[in-house]
Amino acid sequence: MKIPRAQRGRKWGVALAVATMIGGLTAATQNPAIAATPPLQSIVPVPVSVQAAAGVTFPLVASTKIYTEAGSAPAKEVGDYLAAILRKSTGFALPVADAPATPAADGITLLLNGAPASVGQQGYQLVSTATTVVLRAITADGLFGGVQTLRQLLPGKIESSTVQTGPWTIPGATILDYPRFAYRGAMLDVARHFHPVASVKRYLDQLAQYKINNLHLHLADDQGWRIQIDSWPRLATYGGSTQVGGGAGGYYTKAQYSDIVAYATSRHITIIPEIDMPGHTNAAQASYAELNCNGVAPALRTDIEVGYSSLCISKDITYQFVSDVIREISALTPGPYFHIGGDEAAATPPADYLTFINKVLPIVAANGKQAIGWHDIAKATLPANATPQFWGTTTSDSGVSNAVSRGSKVILSPANKAYLDMKYNSSSPIGLSWAGYVEVQDAYNWNPGAYLSGVGESAVRGVESPLWTETVKNSADIEYLAFPRLSAHAELGWSPWSTHDWNTFKVRLGAQAPRWKAQAINFYASGQVPWDNGGVPGTCTQPAWNASSIYTGGNVVSHNAHKWTAKWWTQGEEPGTTGEWGVWRDDGAC
């Protein structure tokens, strides 16, 4: 969590004064629900090029087959993945077989030949006609990305885990597509609240749908250590024994972590482990007294304070600890990156901080990894292959621009745009607000290629969406904060800037609703988005909100096409727009 100390004060009391009466509604909160959007106008992230074949559809029927590049195990794995998704909802057999020399007229064909060179290592070409669907790419990564687009060309109920009624048709089209940035990431903090393997896998499935190809796991912090380290076993067994607010905490065994890595690989996602240091280390220091300068282990912490912990920079044992941890985790992680954290080290003197970073970077390199760190690490002179990850709320940082001038690329995660743990508005039931409220339009309306001074598009490695979990206890909480904003960030990372347009994006985003409902994703139904309700008119049976009313017993109202429940006495506080203490709970679209 990144919370500048001056911004951390929050009020937790109940409002006892009458708020100022609110006037008219804003246009952004009056979007009605819409009927189904045509599939070729519903794709998120939007492709580079879509050419429709008017009046042409490909029927997915009981006899349809899936063909994959003959002799290619990676292509067959993608075919098996697609078949497994489609079988659940269609009930069709969808056998997977080697592709013939000429694409068969009874199936969907996935090929690793014939794609235009412009698709690169992650792009694809998809051509659908009345008789066949052919997906071509240069790599299996490209095929996998194309499959995500193909899924969105089918009705949202294709994502159901039970058999649904058809018909199942794919519109005729030629789609050419490739990413703006090679790196498109999400971060999940499993340290503040521990999230078990099943929850991480569920999130991986959701990330894959939107062509996100990196999951950064924040594995250790003041409140918990979440991975087994054989050479320092108490890190997990003691340091992982609690979490924010108390509770049992937890940690991943090496076998469980390897299971996550393998599952991510099957979804064409790279796992990036993070061990935050030299600060955010209380769980480690509580586990081993020798990591403290005074040799005394502090108590475990279950609050959400930051900036008070630091490894002992002058002790040799500190670097043995760091080396052992990086070595053991790197051996389990085939991806190219290791994240060293480096943020909010207020308890580490500036000179000690530089000493520490300069000693740790070679340890990362010695284990065959490239270092990523929160942009604070750019206070040191970084090697060109080290990546600062910008999390600030400003649009300039001299350390980052200096690192770029020496050849580093930057991952962009500005907290007031990309942090998924920020509340949508004052009524959000979970999340924080130190960087401000981040509604869906805020998450979408920024340009990573021109956001940070001195960091042009060519210096951007990609975009990442961090989700810190001080208030996030389970998958439903993850989904509420991630969706729909994660999809907005995914489009920023994938689609050409020339396609960026809020008014068209919000319609495509709204078209994801039937898909998310079929998957039981607990998404936030933002009033800024015209959500597709399948053509069924929305009705609100509750009385309309009245700014002059006091809501006590009769506390359920209709407002802005949503049902709202007053959490306590309120007058004048408009649902979804005001109320510092969150007096209204959004119970979703009518």
Side-chain angles (χ1 to χ4, degrees), residues 69 111-115 136-138:
E69 180 78 26
L111 298 175
L112 290 173
N113 68 77
R136 297 178 185 270
I138 294 172

Side-chain angles (χ1 to χ4, degrees), residues 398-535:
S398 59
V400 173
S401 57
N402 287 339
V404 166
S405 70
R406 294 189 296 268
S408 286
K409 290 184 178 291
V410 180
I411 294 171
L412 286 169
S413 302
N416 54 343
K417 300 290 185 180
Y419 269 31
L420 296 176
D421 55 301
M422 291 299 103
K423 291 184 174 187
Y424 294 96
N425 53 50
S426 61
S427 297
S428 298
I430 57 174
L432 301 173
S433 58
W434 64 264
Y437 299 130
V438 182
E439 250 291 0
V440 185
Q441 189 171 4
D442 301 314
Y444 184 74
N445 274 348
W446 61 288
N447 180 3
Y451 183 79
L452 204 57
S453 177
V455 182
E457 177 130 354
S458 63
V460 175
R461 189 176 298 283
V463 178
E464 184 174 290
S465 311
L467 179 48
W468 304 96
T469 61
E470 287 86 352
T471 67
V472 176
K473 299 178 181 179
N474 51 43
S475 285
D477 291 346
I478 291 172
E479 291 160 10
Y480 180 83
L481 292 173
F483 291 94
R485 293 179 293 193
L486 185 71
S487 302
H489 298 153
E491 179 148 309
L492 287 173
W494 180 276
S495 303
W497 181 247
S498 61
T499 66
H500 189 87
D501 178 76
W502 165 251
N503 288 324
T504 58
F505 172 72
K506 69 182 181 182
V507 174
R508 287 184 288 104
L509 184 62
Q512 306 302 303
R515 201 165 303 278
W516 294 346
K517 290 176 182 178
Q519 295 170 316
I521 291 177
N522 182 41
F523 69 97
Y524 163 65
S526 170
Q528 295 184 334
V529 179
W531 296 105
D532 180 350
N533 64 0

Side-chain angles (χ1 to χ4, degrees), residues 280-335:
H280 289 279
T281 50
N282 190 77
Q285 291 174 274
S287 302
Y288 287 96
E290 56 266 45
L291 297 178
N292 299 274
C293 286
N294 63 2
V296 178
L300 292 170
R301 297 280 292 254
T302 61
D303 59 3
I304 65 170
E305 287 300 309
V306 299
Y308 57 85
S309 59
S310 177
L311 294 172
C312 191
I313 307 306
S314 62
K315 280 189 170 184
D316 291 341
I317 191 68
T318 294
Y319 303 99
Q320 184 61 55
F321 160 76
V322 170
S323 181
D324 288 340
V325 168
I326 292 176
R327 172 179 50 80
E328 291 196 35
I329 297 176
S330 294
L332 300 172
T333 312

